[in-house]
Amino acid sequence: MTHTEVRTPSHATSTVNAWLQEFDEALQARDIQRVLTLFNDECYWRDFLAFTWNLKTCEGQKEIQAMLDATLANTQPTQWQLDGEASENGDTVEAWFTFKTAIATGKGYLRLKNGKCWTLLTTMQALDDFPEPRNHHRPKGAEHGANKQRETWLEAREREEAELGYTRQPYCVIIGGGQGGIGLGARLKQMGVPTIIIERNERAGDSWRKRYKSLCLHDPVWYDHLPYIPFPENWPVFAPKDKVGDWLEMYTKVMELNYWSSTTCDNARFDEAAGEWVVNVKRNGEEITLRPKQLVMATGMSGMPNVPKFAGAESFEGEQQHSSQHPGPDAYAGKKCVIVGSNNSAHDIAAALWEHDADVTMLQRSSTHIVKSDSLMEEVLGPLYSEEAVAGGLTHEKADLLFASIPYKVLPDFQRPAFEAIKKRDAEFYQKLEDAGFMLDFGDDESGLFLKYLRRGSGYYIDVGACDLVANGDIKLRSGVGIERIKPHSITLTDGSELDADLIVYATGYGSMNGWAARLISQEVADKVGKCWGLGSDTTKDPGPWEGELRNMWKPTQQEALWFHGGNLHQSRHYSHYLALQLKARMEGLETPVYGLQPVHHSS
């Protein structure tokens, strides 16, 4: 007779099981007061679609009560089950769980303090009646048997390409065929949502290929996978731009996306009576009108390039360009080059120009957050996105959810210790930069890179070598001054000094994404939707009031059937799932009552 070891559940697992059971019973009884007794006074419930058909964080019991009052009857949540073992992290018990609603399966993450909920993440993962054709639902591919009307895969694909947008309208049009539009397009294709991606460049990936030649991903490979097809195991940690471009081009073909390259969107308007968009595009010179039910702006996290206006700029006889138009360093050997700005693009471009024997000056007008790439990977990203994390069973899908489980209100508290460690680790590096006159910061509240990114999408550089050139004077630095006037061959600074210049690069960032809505739709719609990005943290370039989620991203906006999709590769991958689910549900006629549609506080 064999001996079978009976394992007793850990204290953490027993605690979570008891909490989930009580939570389940209280929700099924629609007893909201009983539900609230399971939450601490300080508590956060972040929901992705499952209850709210929105990306919404409820802060405190009062907001949770209001959300449940509005959504519980429709959601009908049940079957709250622990997924794996719970763990203890200091005074916090943490656990994965699964659940069901009336129409979908869900997954989430729970943190308990003193036996009560501190943070709760609930996410819709799949619609019950519309599973994606993957794993057990994958298509057969071959059609066995005899059939005189047989249509091969290639014939079906060619027919779809010939029909969609011409004799048959797409349900969704995505404006922008960079990584965001491509990733979302793949999600929608898998979900059976007829979609056309509009891209002005000739080839998928050109938005990467056409940037300055030293550009590469500053985020590591584990953070950057696309949906469905992760990068291979031999992919470089930091992918060069042309390699990324080729991957995106391959991806559009393999995922069978309806990708209209060499196509521009001239204008769009929402036809209220018909409940659809009228989108006028030009494809290879041919004018075509598309009538999708949904329109997605996937023009990148940023909007239109910010090109500052300086007195005398029109008199300059050298070259002026925004960083997005910079062709690379080859033509500028021996030239005097001034880079206006001190963030990622400014450093990348300045370093590449120095490597090609240009005389480079960086003009730093305000402080910048600098973090060394290795330090960021080891101290901040490593626990979630690294070879070690993968070896420990943390897939990028799980890592995405784990990161999402931290409400934005408390994210600074999670981030500060890591950036404090970086300050100490790289103290000598930072001292050298300050000695060179470089103005440093770690964010308004010392919370580091990710919060700066979420709040304003700018103000930082992940150092991959350019800082040493600044510190030792190879890249000249003028900090704390602005531009008074531009002359034919020079720039007068606000301290009265003069900089000779043959090239001026404005590495001055981008405006809000709704600038594209203003250009393609109307200023009225852009103002109705309001500012995209930012949390309302009341920090530099992120005016309050507090909003708790990124403004207008991946969720319903104040303009019916208009959506915004963007962000870095990690965000594009993760949040495209929820945006695609929202579009699929609407296409299938499911009820999608949106709770907590954000009011507009800032138009741009």
Side-chain angles (χ1 to χ4, degrees):
M1 185 172 174
T2 57
H3 173 71
T4 304
E5 183 184 353
V6 178
R7 293 188 61 192
T8 307
S10 70
H11 173 69
T13 294
S14 299
T15 300
V16 169
N17 271 326
W19 191 92
L20 286 172
Q21 184 178 343
E22 177 70 10
F23 189 56
D24 195 356
E25 290 173 4
L27 288 170
Q28 288 198 57
R30 312 269 173 91
D31 188 342
I32 294 173
Q33 289 308 313
R34 184 176 161 195
V35 171
L36 295 177
T37 65
L38 297 170
F39 286 79
N40 283 305
D41 289 340
E42 186 200 358
C43 56
Y44 305 88
W45 184 338
R46 192 175 194 205
D47 180 65
F48 292 175
L49 314 187
F51 283 72
T52 60
W53 282 109
N54 199 354
L55 306 186
K56 172 74 178 166
T57 301
C58 298
E59 301 178 0
Q61 292 186 17
K62 193 172 176 184
E63 289 191 11
I64 290 170
Q65 179 175 355
M67 184 271 283
L68 289 174
D69 279 337
T71 65
L72 190 51
N74 197 57
T75 304
Q76 300 171 37
T78 58
Q79 298 180 40
W80 298 80
Q81 303 280 339
L82 180 68
D83 185 9
E85 292 288 313
S87 61
E88 293 190 62
N89 184 2
D91 65 347
T92 308
V93 172
E94 307 187 14
W96 295 98
F97 61 85
T98 58
F99 65 101
K100 285 191 67 65
T101 69
I103 61 163
T105 55
K107 189 176 181 68
Y109 198 77
L110 169 69
R111 290 184 184 87
L112 301 178
K113 282 189 177 180
N114 301 317
K116 293 191 175 187
C117 180
W118 174 40
T119 74
L120 178 66
L121 172 72
T122 49
T123 71
M124 181 184 291
Q125 288 295 303
L127 296 164
D128 291 342
D129 291 343
F130 307 100
E132 288 189 38
R134 55 198 292 203
N135 301 328
H136 292 297
H137 300 285
R138 69 170 72 228
K140 199 166 185 179
E143 182 195 332
H144 296 158
N147 179 2
K148 287 192 174 184
Q149 279 75 48
R150 182 187 299 277
E151 185 179 48
T152 66
W153 168 83
L154 180 61
E155 288 166 345
R157 184 81 188 101
E158 288 173 341
R159 177 175 52 79
E160 180 183 29
E161 288 179 350
E163 290 175 359
L164 200 62
Y166 296 95
T167 60
R168 180 165 64 92
Q169 287 301 315
Y171 180 75
C172 179
V173 164
I174 299 171
I175 307 291
Q179 71 230 24
I182 287 170
L184 177 60
R187 298 271 194 198
L188 292 169
K189 179 77 176 184
Q190 285 297 104
M191 292 185 189
V193 179
T195 301
I196 291 174
I197 303 167
I198 303 296
E199 171 57 42
R200 63 188 172 191
N201 284 310
E202 304 85 58
R203 294 163 60 198
D206 274 355
S207 52
W208 283 86
R209 292 188 193 94
K210 291 185 175 182
R211 296 292 305 280
Y212 54 90
K213 76 181 203 179
S214 64
L215 177 67
C216 67
L217 281 171
H218 287 199
D219 299 320
V221 62
W222 308 278
Y223 187 73
D224 290 334
H225 297 297
L226 269 63
Y228 308 114
I229 309 178
F231 293 116
E233 291 177 359
N234 66 342
W235 198 258
V237 175
F238 302 107
K241 70 179 182 74
D242 295 286
K243 196 169 179 66
V244 175
D246 288 350
W247 183 264
L248 291 173
E249 187 171 31
M250 175 280 298
Y251 187 91
T252 60
K253 291 177 181 174
V254 171
M255 296 305 292
E256 300 177 16
L257 307 186
N258 296 298
Y259 192 90
W260 284 18
S261 58
S262 301
T263 304
T264 55
C265 176
D266 292 338
N267 55 68
R269 65 178 176 84
F270 188 64
D271 183 337
E272 298 275 353
E276 62 190 22
W277 288 91
V278 179
V279 184
N280 294 308
V281 304
K282 200 169 279 156
R283 187 185 191 194
N284 296 316
E286 181 189 1
E287 293 186 358
I288 302 165
T289 298
L290 300 172
R291 289 185 166 268
K293 297 293 184 185
Q294 309 287 340
L295 183 65
V296 180
M297 306 295 288
T299 49
M301 184 206 83
S302 309
M304 315 299 293
N306 273 335
V307 181
K309 290 182 168 46
F310 295 114
E314 70 287 346
S315 72
F316 187 64
E317 293 181 11
E319 287 184 64
Q320 297 178 80
Q321 58 206 202
H322 187 264
S323 58
S324 60
Q325 301 152 334
H326 179 65
D330 297 22
Y332 303 105
K335 304 280 189 183
K336 294 189 179 297
C337 306
V338 177
I339 315 297
V340 182
S342 55
N343 298 333
N344 265 340
S345 294
H347 279 85
D348 282 350
I349 292 169
L353 285 166
W354 176 85
E355 287 178 350
H356 283 71
D357 300 317
D359 179 318
V360 189
T361 301
M362 181 183 289
L363 189 60
Q364 184 188 27
R365 298 179 298 166
S366 57
S367 64
T368 304
H369 172 49
I370 303 284
V371 60
K372 288 172 79 93
S373 176
D374 289 351
S375 301
L376 183 69
M377 282 176 61
E378 290 168 31
E379 301 285 350
V380 184
L381 285 173
L384 291 180
Y385 301 97
S386 64
E387 210 63 61
E388 291 72 28
V390 174
L394 199 56
T395 62
H396 61 269
E397 289 94 351
K398 266 195 158 180
D400 292 347
L401 286 169
L402 208 51
F403 192 61
S405 74
I406 306 168
Y408 287 134
K409 194 68 174 272
V410 297
L411 187 58
D413 298 332
F414 276 73
Q415 294 284 294
R416 268 187 218 98
F419 284 97
E420 284 298 327
I422 286 172
K423 274 186 204 173
K424 289 176 185 161
R425 167 182 172 147
D426 297 325
E428 191 179 327
F429 164 77
Y430 289 122
Q431 190 58 55
K432 281 182 184 171
L433 275 174
E434 290 191 309
D435 290 346
F438 196 89
M439 299 185 294
L440 290 168
D441 71 59
F442 272 77
D444 288 13
D445 56 358
E446 304 295 303
S447 58
L449 185 137
F450 286 112
L451 270 302
K452 251 198 162 184
Y453 172 66
L454 292 165
R455 290 164 174 169
R456 52 183 281 192
S458 65
Y460 52 84
Y461 169 55
I462 301 171
D463 179 43
V464 290
C467 284
D468 288 338
L469 299 175
V470 174
N472 65 24
D474 287 325
I475 293 173
K476 297 166 188 167
L477 177 69
R478 297 299 306 273
S479 62
V481 290
I483 293 176
E484 182 73 34
R485 183 172 195 83
I486 296 176
K487 297 180 178 177
H489 301 284
S490 65
I491 299 169
T492 305
L493 301 180
T494 50
D495 64 359
S497 62
E498 198 95 358
L499 279 178
D500 291 339
D502 301 304
L503 168 70
I504 304 171
V505 180
Y506 298 108
T508 44
Y510 301 83
S512 174
M513 276 179 76
N514 69 342
W516 282 103
R519 174 185 277 195
L520 298 178
I521 307 169
S522 69
Q523 189 63 52
E524 181 188 5
V525 166
D527 291 343
K528 181 180 177 181
V529 167
K531 183 180 173 71
C532 297
W533 211 258
L535 300 168
S537 62
D538 211 18
T539 56
T540 305
K541 296 192 177 180
D542 184 29
W546 177 248
E547 305 198 33
E549 290 286 344
L550 285 171
R551 300 180 187 97
N552 284 318
M553 299 303 298
W554 317 294
K555 61 184 178 180
T557 68
Q558 293 286 351
Q559 170 59 54
E560 182 186 347
L562 178 64
W563 310 79
F564 291 85
H565 176 59
N568 59 28
L569 279 159
H570 150 254
Q571 290 170 308
S572 288
R573 171 187 68 245
H574 186 213
Y575 290 99
S576 61
H577 179 54
Y578 306 107
L579 178 46
L581 281 170
Q582 291 172 85
L583 296 169
K584 173 67 172 176
R586 283 163 172 77
M587 187 185 88
E588 299 296 349
L590 299 180
E591 277 190 58
T592 56
V594 176
Y595 176 79
L597 184 65
Q598 281 188 328
V600 173
H601 300 292
H602 308 282
S603 60
S604 63

